[in-house]
Amino acid sequence: MITVGIDEVGRGCWAGPVVAGAVILSEPIAGLKDSKKLSKLQREKLSPQITDQAQAIGLGWVTPQELDEIGLTAAVGLAMQRALDEIEIEYDQIIIDGDYNFMPDNPKAVTVIKADDTVPAVSAASILAKVARDQYMSQLGEDYEIYEFDKHVGYGTALHLERLKLHGISDQHRKSFKPIAALLQ
């Protein structure tokens, strides 16, 4: 059975995109587990290995503007669909990490709680998405130095809040999120 593993990163961030990964593995890769349980160095070592050895990979990106327009749940589903759209080989099932099916119209999609730690293809998707998003946010850190995105990668940290209070919001911030919306008033 050919399985596409799907996971997303950046759902709870105040800034930056939501990114989903989709992966079909053709062989086992040692060290795969939930990206949150791996160090940055471990993730960055595994990511190119996944890219080289996977049968198929896809990344789906949803901008902060799109997220604000359609809402978080729809944005996660859109990121997952965009990642899946990059998979060009036939597959039998899609396993989505968690207990919520962001692709309810796809009969091949099922959810598995903690799949990012127990299903290798989902672990791989989690790692690919996390590394891609972190690299993007590091680049934003250079482009938007005053926000220090490279340090907090968009999450709601004390540093991020301090930067927001000093400089206001940017076009990379999610205006529909309560902490950001509160700063707009």
Side-chain angles (χ1 to χ4, degrees), residues 43-60:
R43 289 190 301 267
E44 288 177 350
K45 187 176 175 185
L46 283 165
S47 183
Q49 191 177 352
I50 294 163
T51 301
D52 291 345
Q53 294 180 15
Q55 200 170 351
I57 62 167
L59 284 172

Side-chain angles (χ1 to χ4, degrees), residues 1-157:
M1 179 174 291
I2 298 175
T3 299
V4 180
I6 295 185
D7 198 11
E8 57 69 37
V9 295
R11 187 186 322 189
C13 292
W14 294 353
V18 171
V19 181
V23 175
I24 297 175
L25 292 176
S26 53
E27 58 191 60
I29 297 175
L32 292 181
K33 58 181 162 182
D34 178 0
S35 66
K36 294 181 288 299
K37 293 182 178 180
L38 296 168
S39 69
K40 181 179 183 192
L41 186 63
Q42 289 171 314
R43 289 190 301 267
E44 288 177 350
K45 187 176 175 185
L46 283 165
S47 183
Q49 191 177 352
I50 294 163
T51 301
D52 291 345
Q53 294 180 15
Q55 200 170 351
I57 62 167
L59 284 172
W61 299 73
V62 174
T63 67
Q65 294 79 15
E66 289 174 309
L67 185 151
D68 285 339
E69 190 174 311
I70 64 176
L72 182 58
T73 301
V76 171
L78 180 59
M80 289 181 175
Q81 186 59 55
R82 287 176 175 170
L84 188 63
D85 288 347
E86 293 189 3
I87 301 294
E88 296 180 347
I89 60 175
E90 289 296 315
Y91 52 87
D92 302 302
Q93 69 173 348
I94 302 163
I95 297 180
I96 299 170
D97 177 51
D99 63 358
Y100 184 85
N101 188 351
F102 290 95
M103 307 177 90
D105 296 333
N106 189 323
K108 294 181 179 181
V110 297
T111 61
V112 175
I113 295 170
K114 299 205 183 296
D116 56 357
D117 210 27
T118 60
V119 178
V122 179
S123 301
S126 170
I127 292 164
L128 278 187
K130 175 74 172 146
V131 169
R133 186 180 188 283
D134 284 357
Q135 288 173 346
Y136 177 84
M137 294 305 291
S138 277
Q139 181 60 51
L140 274 188
E142 293 177 23
D143 298 341
Y144 295 76
E145 287 181 19
I146 60 173
Y147 294 102
E148 299 187 56
F149 287 130
D150 52 315
K151 293 195 173 102
H152 53 71
V153 296
Y155 285 93
T157 66

